[in-house]
């Protein structure tokens, strides 16, 4: 991979890491389309580029979310009781979503990604324990399908449930790790025996290792900065 491409991916990591800390998003809505453009066609066949970009985006979120949630936790902003209620559904949904994505042709996966971006924010009342579990499944499946950390769903959901913005951002950041971890495992499994993909150390299933570390290293460094800015903003009307 060319040094210019690695440098651009590192800049992408700086921006998405900052936004992850600031808004509680994983950054997948930003990372995925840029990886589709930046990953060389000589490295990944065209037929697999969308799958690889989505899977690699999820893998970077596993690193970014840990850095982000650590910064938010220090400020006591993570609602761990909500995380505990939603996370089991997220685990199920992330693995299932990754398997579904592995079965889908590139065209349909691209269509789902575009549609998700268009309707990512929606309103919903905070449900009971079972409702949170099924909400977790929905967040996990959609996040795994489009390579996002779930913040585009979970933050608006919690804000409209009258959760304070800083708490919604911090709690969404905590959702990002289980989504990313189990989604990544799912993409490794679904891409394990796909013909045409490079072998380790270039790819691990659908995960592009050089792209993963190019983005992840800088995103981890900038996520705490975004969290610091988030807690300095007065969200009172």
């Amino acid at each position: 991979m060319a040094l210019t491409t690695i440098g651009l991916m590192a800049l992408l990591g700086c921006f998405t890491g900052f936004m992850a800390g600031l808004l509680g998003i994983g950054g997948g809505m930003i990372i995925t389309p840029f990886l589709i453009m930046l990953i060389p066609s000589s490295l990944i066949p065209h037929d697999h580029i969308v799958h690889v970009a989505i899977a690699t985006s999820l893998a970077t979120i596993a690193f970014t979310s840990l850095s982000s949630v650590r910064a938010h936790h220090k400020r006591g902003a993570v609602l761990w009781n909500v995380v505990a209620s939603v996370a089991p559904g997220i685990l199920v949904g992330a693995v299932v979503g990754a398997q579904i994505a592995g079965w889908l042709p590139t065209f349909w996966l691209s269509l789902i990604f575009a549609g998700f971006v268009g309707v990512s924010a929606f309103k919903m009342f905070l449900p009971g324990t079972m409702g949170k579990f099924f909400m977790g499944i929905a967040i996990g499946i959609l996040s795994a399908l489009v390579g996002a950390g779930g913040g585009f769903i979970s933050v608006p959901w919690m804000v409209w449930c009258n959760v304070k913005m800083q708490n919604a951002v911090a709690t969404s950041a905590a959702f990002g790790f289980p989504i990313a971890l189990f989604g990544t495992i799912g993409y490794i499994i679904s891409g394990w025996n796909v013909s045409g993909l490079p072998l380790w150390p270039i790819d691990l299933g659908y995960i592009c290792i050089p792209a993963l570390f190019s983005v992840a290293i800088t995103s981890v460094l900038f996520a705490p900065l975004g969290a610091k800015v988030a807690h300095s903003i007065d969200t009172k009307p």
Side-chain angles (χ1 to χ4, degrees):
M1 191 178 290
L3 288 177
T4 303
T5 302
I6 292 174
L8 289 172
M9 288 182 177
L11 286 174
L12 177 63
C14 293
F15 179 73
T16 54
F18 179 81
M19 296 304 290
L22 179 67
L23 302 176
I25 61 174
M29 296 294 95
I30 304 166
I31 297 172
T32 299
F34 275 96
L35 287 184
I36 291 172
M37 293 186 289
L38 291 174
I39 294 176
S41 57
S42 59
L43 196 65
I44 303 296
H46 177 74
D47 289 346
H48 301 304
I49 189 63
V50 175
H51 292 79
V52 168
I54 289 174
T56 305
S57 172
L58 264 184
T60 64
I61 292 168
F63 294 90
T64 307
S65 62
L66 280 178
S67 178
S68 177
V69 75
R70 181 173 178 270
H72 284 295
H73 175 69
K74 283 183 176 180
R75 293 170 170 81
V78 181
L79 302 178
W80 288 110
N81 60 325
V82 176
V83 174
S85 298
V86 179
I90 283 176
L91 305 187
V92 174
V95 174
V96 171
Q99 300 310 305
I100 294 172
W103 298 329
L104 289 172
T106 298
F107 171 79
W108 288 107
L109 194 58
S110 302
L111 196 64
I112 289 172
F113 178 85
F116 179 76
V117 171
V119 295
S120 58
F122 64 92
K123 303 174 184 179
M124 176 177 272
F125 291 107
L126 189 66
T129 301
M130 284 303 296
K132 292 175 188 174
F133 175 78
F134 286 109
M135 185 62 183
I137 291 178
I139 292 171
I141 290 176
L142 286 171
S143 297
L145 281 172
V146 301
F152 279 80
I153 303 173
S154 57
V155 171
W157 171 53
M158 285 185 281
V159 168
W160 281 103
C161 296
N162 298 315
V163 174
K164 186 181 176 182
M165 175 60 80
Q166 280 92 344
N167 294 119
V169 167
T171 306
S172 176
F175 291 159
F177 181 72
I179 289 172
L181 177 62
F182 282 81
T184 298
I185 292 171
Y187 274 109
I188 291 173
I189 294 170
S190 64
W192 191 258
N193 292 314
V194 174
S195 61
L197 288 176
L199 300 176
W200 173 267
I202 302 300
D203 266 27
L204 182 60
Y206 278 121
I207 313 299
C208 180
I209 303 301
L212 166 61
F213 285 104
S214 296
V215 177
I217 290 172
T218 51
S219 69
V220 166
L221 296 175
F222 276 76
L225 177 60
K228 182 178 180 180
V229 173
H231 286 275
S232 69
I233 297 173
D234 184 4
T235 59
K236 295 179 181 179

